[in-house]
Amino acid sequence: MRSNTSISLLAIGHACVDVYQGAVASLVPFFVAERAYGYATVSGMVLAASLLSSVVQPAFGALTDRRAMPWLLPVSTLLGGAGVALSGVSGSYGLTVLFVAISGVGVAAYHPESARVARIAGQGRHSAMGWFSTGGNLGFALAPLMVGAVVGAGGLRLTPLLALPALVGSVLCLPVLRALGPRQAAGTAVAGPAETDDRASFVKLSLAVACRSIVFVGLSAFLSLYARQRMGGSTAVGTVALFVLYLGGAVGSVLGGTLAGRWGRVAVARWSYLITIGAVAGVVFVPGPALYLFVALTSAGLYVPFSLQVTLGQDYLPSRVGTASGITLGLAVSVGGLASPAIGSLADATSLRTALAPLILMPALCWLLFRTLPEPTAPRLAAGPHPNTDDATDATDATPSSTQKSGQR
């Protein structure tokens, strides 16, 4: 199987998993409408999906550093889908939170191992990781459309139909795992020892990832409701706003890889977060249909650094690629849920606009942290033939240029 084919299948599988992270936020307006939940109550569901994912994701990453577990890809995909599928069939809030939490565990288990497999299948190329990340971002973007079409048509009782992407994703990853074969067990060994790890830079990067997550998940949870408040109209108004927020991921990750090839990953991420400060302020304070424009700018600003942060984490922590992937790829879309209850409680006490205003500070903190980060040199992958040795044109991404010692893939 060619490398590009493997990455394409993995990217689609990634979309089939991350659609369930977007689905949780997309279901919020329907829980409010059908069950009369308050802001703080629905934010508890977002917390349930995010908390377990935040806690267990680095643990799964550490496990994959010790031992390859390719079977996690299909199993975790099915688990993520099952939780969301069951979330709407029970009128009990406790069971709903439990099912959403189960989905979060499935998503958490998927990301570290899938990032490791994608690193092998793509021969360490940054463009390959960019396309893999784009798959997940597309899943986010499609979530509100999928939920709107299914649940909007028949209510929460139809959530079992949302299990279909999980079935598709679990099947698509199987031929990739068979094609890679023994290389999975070999892992992604690096040229240097653990002493080459730049732990200080990795901690700073992780803090920036957490700040990005807070603003993204905070907007994901409440943007649909906020758009309806600002512009009026049906749930379609909020669904479109959420779709625009997620759609930026389809362009942002690929654009980030292209820009980073010229200016470096750290510089591109830094400028992206600087632009995002003004974009988030526009979402919160600019009235009318212009809201969609600022949502689009916010989406681009948050997604351009997305895949860059994954490869930066792997290069800052080359001896523990699974752990780095679990934190930067998984934590990036989960830890923000920890702040959702605070946003919901503040919205109940004041207004949703007041509650969203502090999110403007998050990209500013990201910008400050990236100002202190160096551009690392990428480690070599372990020697050995790849199933696609004739993919010479794309393999040039793996070689650093003579004028840029960034190790850009």
Side-chain angles (χ1 to χ4, degrees):
M1 182 180 292
R2 292 174 59 85
S3 174
N4 289 344
T5 302
S6 296
I7 289 297
S8 297
L9 291 176
L10 289 172
I12 297 173
H14 194 185
C16 291
V17 172
D18 277 5
V19 73
Y20 295 111
Q21 297 201 72
V24 174
S26 302
L27 285 168
V28 164
F30 297 99
F31 281 113
V32 171
E34 289 192 29
R35 301 183 182 176
Y37 290 160
Y39 292 133
T41 303
V42 293
S43 65
M45 291 187 295
V46 178
L47 174 64
S50 302
L51 181 59
L52 282 176
S53 182
S54 301
V55 171
V56 305
Q57 195 137 193
F60 278 110
L63 288 175
T64 59
D65 282 331
R66 294 175 177 272
R67 182 179 180 181
M69 294 185 290
W71 54 267
L72 271 179
L73 270 66
V75 171
S76 60
T77 300
L78 292 173
L79 193 63
V84 168
L86 295 172
S87 65
V89 298
S90 171
S92 166
Y93 179 72
L95 283 177
T96 300
V97 171
L98 175 62
F99 291 139
V100 170
I102 289 173
S103 179
V105 171
V107 171
Y110 174 85
H111 281 98
E113 181 67 359
S114 65
R116 187 188 68 83
V117 172
R119 185 175 170 94
I120 298 173
Q123 298 175 279
R125 291 174 286 119
H126 176 67
S127 61
M129 187 61 73
W131 283 109
F132 172 71
S133 299
T134 296
N137 297 335
L138 278 173
F140 260 100
L142 292 174
L145 300 183
M146 180 185 72
V147 171
V150 175
V151 183
L156 292 171
R157 62 185 179 83
L158 294 185
T159 55
L161 295 179
L162 301 179
L164 182 59
L167 298 176
V168 174
S170 62
V171 171
L172 289 179
C173 69
L174 297 179
V176 179
L177 300 182
R178 284 197 298 266
L180 293 178
R183 288 186 64 86
Q184 293 172 351
T188 50
V190 297
E195 286 75 13
T196 60
D197 291 347
D198 185 353
R199 292 187 177 88
S201 293
F202 183 77
V203 169
K204 293 176 184 178
L205 175 68
S206 299
L207 290 174
V209 166
C211 291
R212 177 208 178 272
S213 176
I214 290 172
V215 63
F216 181 79
V217 177
L219 287 176
S220 297
F222 298 106
L223 180 62
S224 181
L225 295 170
Y226 187 62
R228 291 177 61 187
Q229 284 185 8
R230 297 299 300 274
M231 293 183 289
S234 65
T235 57
V237 172
T239 298
V240 171
L242 200 58
F243 175 70
V244 172
L245 178 66
Y246 292 164
L247 185 62
V251 179
S253 292
V254 177
L255 179 62
T258 302
L259 296 176
R262 181 171 182 179
W263 288 294
R265 291 168 288 180
V266 171
V268 169
R270 186 165 58 238
W271 280 102
S272 296
Y273 284 127
L274 186 61
I275 293 172
T276 306
I277 299 171
V280 176
V283 171
V284 176
F285 295 112
V286 176
L291 172 73
Y292 291 123
L293 172 63
F294 286 104
V295 170
L297 290 174
T298 298
S299 179
L302 291 175
Y303 270 119
V304 163
F306 189 82
S307 66
L308 306 182
Q309 292 171 159
V310 177
T311 57
L312 279 170
Q314 291 173 338
D315 293 345
Y316 286 141
L317 214 63
S319 70
R320 303 177 68 185
V321 169
T323 300
S325 301
I327 293 174
T328 56
L329 182 60
L331 200 62
V333 289
S334 59
V335 74
L338 302 178
S340 293
I343 297 173
S345 297
L346 182 58
D348 284 332
T350 56
S351 69
L352 195 50
R353 180 179 178 179
T354 300
L356 294 177
L359 296 180
I360 301 171
L361 297 175
M362 295 298 104
L365 292 175
C366 293
W367 176 75
L368 289 172
L369 287 164
F370 265 90
R371 284 179 58 86
T372 68
L373 291 177
E375 185 75 43
T377 299
R380 293 185 295 105
L381 294 179
H386 189 274
N388 179 37
T389 55
D390 62 344
D391 195 8
T393 56
D394 210 19
T396 56
D397 288 353
T399 305
S401 68
S402 58
T403 58
Q404 181 183 341
K405 299 180 181 179
S406 64
Q408 180 63 41
R409 294 182 177 86

